[in-house]
Amino acid sequence: MNENTIEDLREALKYSPDNIPLQLLLAETLVTLNRLEEAEIEYSNILSKSNDIKAKIGLATVYFKKGNYSTCNVILEELIDNGTKEINIFILYAKGLLKEELIAKAIEAYQKALAIDPDYFDEELDSQLRQKEVIEVIATEEEFDNRFLEKPNINFDDVGGMETVKKEIELKIIKPLLHPELYKAYGKKIGGGILLYGPPGCGKTYIAKATAGQVNAKFISVSLNDILDMWIGNSEKNLHEIFDLARNNTPCVLFIDEIDALGASRSDMKQSSSRHLINQFLQELDGINNSNEGILIIGATNTPWNLDPAFRRPGRFDRIVFVSPPDIITRASILKLKLSDKPIGTIDVQTIAKKTQQYSGADIDAIIDIAIEQKLEDSFSDGIPKPLETKDLISAVKKHKPSTQEWFTTAKNFAMFANDSGLYDDILTYMKIKK
Ligand SMILES: Nc1ncnc2c1ncn2[C@@H]1O[C@H](COP(=O)(O)OP(=O)(O)O)[C@@H](O)[C@H]1O
Ligand SMILES: [Mg+2]
């Protein structure tokens, strides 16, 4: 075929302009000669007269050759949606998807082509897809790992106060990690985790992270709500992958926030699929199929009363620890800690600690932020940075209300009326309702 063929075909078409096979032949010949613009015109012209599948494939091929892969794919998708069984369509579609780096879809298309003709083999496409598939799997795994895994730069020294919580963590999970042989010698079973609960912003996440720093372990932090929502229908796989990530990175602290997301009292958790998910979570927690040795499990929730009681059985979250708003001593040490790297004049930490009853650690962060913003604004007038003073923090306290009261309003009801086996005694003691 050559230039003359084209001329002959064009000449013939003049006499029978509606001869579609002839026009297709012309278009195909143009493609072979790489005269893509002309081929596009012919195919489009055919399609304006008839809904011809060959013309559609031809047009898609033209777009593919021109590097316009998305248009090529759109045309092919329409054909596939209409139930085509034409193998060439799936092959071209797989190639188009590969060009667009849509690897999973490309593999699927190629597999559909092979289902039509098991003997079909396209060596180049096959090997490219195999390579990409491997890279793709590694890439998503890495993304997954990086998203949840960190090496913390804080330890218990960076946590103001919280002495009881530190002690509980020390006894329940740090000691067993450091001296497993002693525990074994006394026949004491290692395992299970600590569940921290309390009002938001009072240091649950923070101390979990510091625990990892304390024992020089990695920190894996996940929020159960994220796991459940991120990949709908994939929750079980992800739950398993998180535990596997922890198992592959021991020693580590596995921090699971919003544990109540799997709470039985949430209405949408009553379905059997959710029950299944809870069971799987408990199995992972129990380390039934895989050992959890070297993993310190810390859970956290703001609403422990939504938690399925099965979570609290021995070997699971059998220590449940109240993380209260910081007391005056803790507030003073949080203030000192947080101000240590700021430009400060003389600051009477005690006075501010006294004025911040019911403020959470996060509230204290906010107060310091507000004071600094004010200072910055003052500095703009003469360009001289001025250090923070006590009065700056006091006026910031007035601008920021404590955030923990609301939580106690709810918590009090549960502690008074649903306090099975004294689970929430710490709340009552804290509220001075009970000694
Ligand atoms: N005891 C503490 N010592 C130092 N900073 C604290 C303390 N408690 C809370 N904070 C600060 O408050 C912020 C919020 O705490 P966070 O751990 O996220 O609260 P929670 O997880 O309980 O909602 C932390 O990032 C930290 O800066
Ligand atoms: Mg938190």
Side-chain angles (χ1 to χ4, degrees):
M1 272 187 231
N2 53 37
E3 310 293 319
N4 293 337
T5 321
I6 303 282
E7 287 320 305
D8 292 346
L9 287 170
R10 283 199 197 281
E11 199 58 32
L13 264 175
K14 269 190 196 155
Y15 294 97
S16 48
D18 291 329
N19 186 338
I20 286 175
L22 192 61
Q23 200 174 359
L24 277 172
L25 184 59
L26 169 62
E28 274 161 37
T29 315
L30 287 166
V31 172
T32 351
L33 296 171
N34 224 19
R35 288 163 66 170
L36 301 175
E37 303 301 326
E38 289 163 77
E40 183 179 343
I41 292 169
E42 296 305 326
Y43 283 129
S44 304
N45 184 271
I46 298 171
L47 289 170
S48 69
K49 290 182 284 195
S50 113
N51 193 17
D52 188 282
I53 289 192
K54 281 198 181 126
K56 281 188 183 169
I57 302 175
L59 191 59
T61 311
V62 168
Y63 283 128
F64 182 87
K65 289 191 177 229
K66 283 167 71 174
N68 188 347
Y69 305 116
S70 59
T71 312
C72 162
N73 291 345
V74 169
I75 297 172
L76 298 174
E77 270 156 27
E78 195 233 339
L79 290 170
I80 291 171
D81 285 347
N82 287 331
T84 183
K85 288 277 173 286
E86 181 94 44
I87 187 164
N88 293 332
I89 292 178
F90 287 96
I91 295 295
L92 185 58
Y93 188 45
K95 287 180 180 169
L97 290 166
L98 180 63
K99 290 285 187 191
E100 289 206 281
E101 293 287 326
L102 298 166
I103 311 305
K105 279 179 89 176
I107 291 171
E108 194 187 309
Y110 186 56
Q111 278 164 349
K112 281 189 182 147
L114 294 182
I116 296 168
D117 177 6
D119 292 330
Y120 183 89
F121 184 62
D122 183 321
E123 187 172 355
E124 197 188 335
L125 181 60
D126 199 86
S127 77
Q128 276 181 354
L129 283 178
R130 273 174 211 280
Q131 269 171 25
K132 292 278 185 183
E133 187 180 24
V134 172
I135 295 167
E136 174 101 333
V137 169
I138 293 172
T140 44
E141 268 173 18
E142 239 170 55
E143 209 176 277
F144 185 86
D145 293 4
N146 291 339
R147 176 164 179 178
F148 298 110
L149 192 66
E150 54 181 305
K151 191 97 190 61
N153 52 4
I154 54 168
N155 60 38
F156 279 179
D157 294 340
D158 300 292
V159 182
M162 295 183 84
E163 295 309 330
T164 349
V165 185
K166 283 180 189 168
K167 200 175 281 167
E168 291 276 4
I169 291 178
E170 189 90 37
L171 268 179
K172 169 72 191 173
I173 55 179
I174 292 186
K175 286 257 159 57
L177 179 83
L178 299 180
H179 310 286
E181 67 296 338
L182 272 180
Y183 280 73
K184 272 175 203 153
Y186 285 100
K188 185 133 179 56
K189 214 176 160 290
I190 303 176
I194 281 199
L195 181 67
L196 308 175
Y197 77 98
C202 292
K204 296 185 291 296
T205 305
Y206 195 66
I207 198 158
K209 193 171 182 174
T211 304
Q214 187 70 10
V215 291
N216 215 355
K218 286 181 198 150
F219 186 56
I220 297 173
S221 172
V222 293
S223 156
L224 216 43
N225 267 320
D226 281 353
I227 296 219
L228 300 188
D229 296 343
M230 199 168 18
W231 304 277
I232 292 165
N234 235 348
S235 303
E236 274 142 60
K237 181 162 164 274
N238 293 301
L239 214 48
H240 181 68
E241 269 170 19
I242 283 291
F243 276 87
D244 261 2
L245 180 66
R247 288 173 192 124
N248 292 330
N249 285 282
T250 54
C252 69
V253 168
L254 173 56
F255 178 66
I256 308 166
D257 209 352
E258 300 183 338
I259 277 264
D260 49 276
L262 277 180
S265 36
R266 273 179 32 156
S267 56
D268 50 338
M269 276 293 155
K270 292 212 172 95
Q271 297 149 10
S272 67
S273 65
S274 316
R275 191 65 244 172
H276 191 72
L277 203 57
I278 291 176
N279 287 338
Q280 196 213 334
F281 182 80
L282 295 177
Q283 275 191 20
E284 298 286 356
L285 201 62
D286 293 345
I288 287 189
N289 301 318
N290 312 77
S291 158
N292 288 344
E293 212 175 303
I295 309 177
L296 310 185
I297 301 174
I298 301 182
T301 174
N302 296 343
T303 57
W305 34 84
N306 284 341
L307 201 68
D308 193 313
F311 281 46
R312 296 200 305 266
R313 301 238 175 87
R316 294 176 182 165
F317 292 109
D318 45 13
R319 296 297 301 164
I320 151 158
V321 180
F322 176 50
V323 177
S324 70
D327 61 12
I328 183 162
I329 300 169
T330 309
R331 292 197 299 276
S333 58
I334 294 179
L335 278 163
K336 262 187 230 151
L337 267 171
K338 303 279 158 155
L339 289 170
S340 66
D341 58 351
K342 305 273 167 10
I344 48 168
T346 42
I347 290 196
D348 180 1
V349 168
Q350 293 309 323
T351 302
I352 299 152
K354 235 180 252 162
K355 285 185 186 296
T356 45
Q357 212 187 341
Q358 293 184 320
Y359 282 72
S360 70
D363 289 333
I364 294 174
D365 277 355
I367 286 166
I368 295 175
D369 263 2
I370 293 171
I372 285 175
E373 265 165 35
Q374 189 55 55
K375 277 277 116 161
L376 262 176
E377 221 165 273
D378 296 349
S379 303
F380 290 144
S381 53
D382 54 11
I384 304 165
K386 297 171 194 75
L388 275 182
E389 307 285 347
T390 309
K391 64 172 175 26
D392 300 319
L393 288 164
I394 291 179
S395 71
V397 170
K398 288 181 189 141
K399 288 182 194 148
H400 185 91
K401 295 245 162 320
S403 65
T404 61
Q405 281 130 317
E406 202 186 316
W407 185 86
F408 278 102
T409 314
T410 314
K412 187 180 161 192
N413 285 324
F414 284 97
M416 290 183 49
F417 306 115
N419 191 13
D420 43 316
S421 53
L423 191 60
Y424 303 127
D425 278 357
D426 287 343
I427 298 178
L428 297 176
T429 312
Y430 180 83
M431 297 183 89
K432 302 208 165 63
I433 295 171
K434 189 178 164 181
K435 275 246 163 69

